[in-house]
Amino acid sequence: MSASFRVLNSRVSALCLSLTPRNHPVQCSVGGRWLSCSQTGENLRPLEGVRVLDLTRVLAGPFSTMILGDLGAEVVKVERPGAGDDTRAWGPPFVGAESAYFLSVNRNKKSIAVDLKHPKGARIIQELAGVSDVLVENYLPGKLHEMGLGYEQLSRVNPQLIYCSISGYGQTGPQSQSPGYDSIASAVSGMMHITGPEDGDPVRPGVAMTDLATGLYAHGAVMAALLQRHKTGRGVHIDCNLLSSQVSCLSHIAANYLNAGKEARRWGTAHESIVPYQGFKTKDGHIVVAAGNDKQFVKVCQVLELKELTDESKYKTNKLRVQNRKQLLHTLSERFLQETTSDWLKRFDGSGVPVGPINNIQEVFSDAQAWQVMWFCWLLQTGISSRHWGSLQPSAKWVG
């Protein structure tokens, strides 16, 4: 840590306002740290030495900065005095007085409370920005500029600062001043239109995928900006928003409309262009089968002991199966109902056909393969007292 930042740490500690009462287990202090089982010591992580000033709250921004922290960056999270990040109260469940929601996206961070509307508070942020590599914020466009904390202002203080703005609808345009939440962006972007049962109403995805996708885009943009700064010596202003992030994730759905004028619809667990590629009810649960080519379809029929289907001309190719999906799926569905999920998984084992059960969350964390590829660990929250909680570690690992 540089001498200038050590001095600033002391000053911030003296000026910042506590988020919580004196005896609360999470005291607001620059020295407080979300600790994890991430690599330390001789195995330096990619962003060791990079300092991130985190002015975000709720999900998209905190998710992005948490990933940067997981990769080794020093993240200083700035929250409003008193209540702090809204998600601290989003529960139950709670771990002590903190919501599990808040803890899920705020590991590997230091936390301070600063009143940005107060001149002294704004000066603290200006000084922190002056010794930071990255600033991430998710205020309404223009709000931080009014406080003297916009990109143009802070880049004069620190020309190398990478300033990432996360918003609902972008920095410009007729809706730029509208607040952005995942469910709204999911609706406006068309995501809800294509999600849900085939003959049912639109459905919100079970997790805030628009926020999470935006956080991933923001994290990737920051990583690219760090590389660019290495070449140019200058920072940049990144505009990342929920709407464009989710629309870009429409992928082939968007391509179908842009190139063929084809309007999308809801398919439940099925795929509009591949059959069979969906979930099926079994005697005691559900199984998902994904026959992505003709060879795999033949294998499915062999496992189900329905080899006669492979001889029918109307099922010879995927294009024909899509055209005749209703009758084929009816036959397959009736067969899957005759055995349990575990029985079907055993039958498909070694067949080369991608299959899997639809797990509940308890089953996810009991799955041997999930334990093999994910990092589940207990994290230590330091402060006036210490608490432990369970968390996921990054899905991308450094293996060499």
Side-chain angles (χ1 to χ4, degrees), residues 189-207:
S189 67
M191 181 64 170
M192 281 192 190
H193 173 70
I194 61 174
T195 305
E198 187 172 350
D199 299 318
D201 293 331
V203 171
R204 175 185 176 274
V207 71

Side-chain angles (χ1 to χ4, degrees), residues 137-148:
E137 58 90 8
N138 64 349
Y139 284 76
L140 280 175
K143 287 294 183 182
L144 288 182
H145 182 83
E146 294 173 2
M147 305 175 196

Side-chain angles (χ1 to χ4, degrees), residues 231-275:
K231 300 174 183 177
T232 66
R234 296 193 61 83
V236 68
H237 187 192
I238 298 168
D239 176 6
C240 196
N241 64 84
L242 303 184
L243 180 60
S244 67
S245 295
Q246 186 57 75
V247 171
S248 70
C249 287
L250 292 179
S251 184
H252 69 282
I253 299 296
N256 288 349
Y257 177 78
L258 293 173
N259 293 285
K262 184 178 180 180
E263 180 58 78
R265 50 172 288 191
R266 290 179 288 284
W267 287 98
T269 65
H271 194 295
E272 66 173 330
S273 303
I274 310 172
V275 176

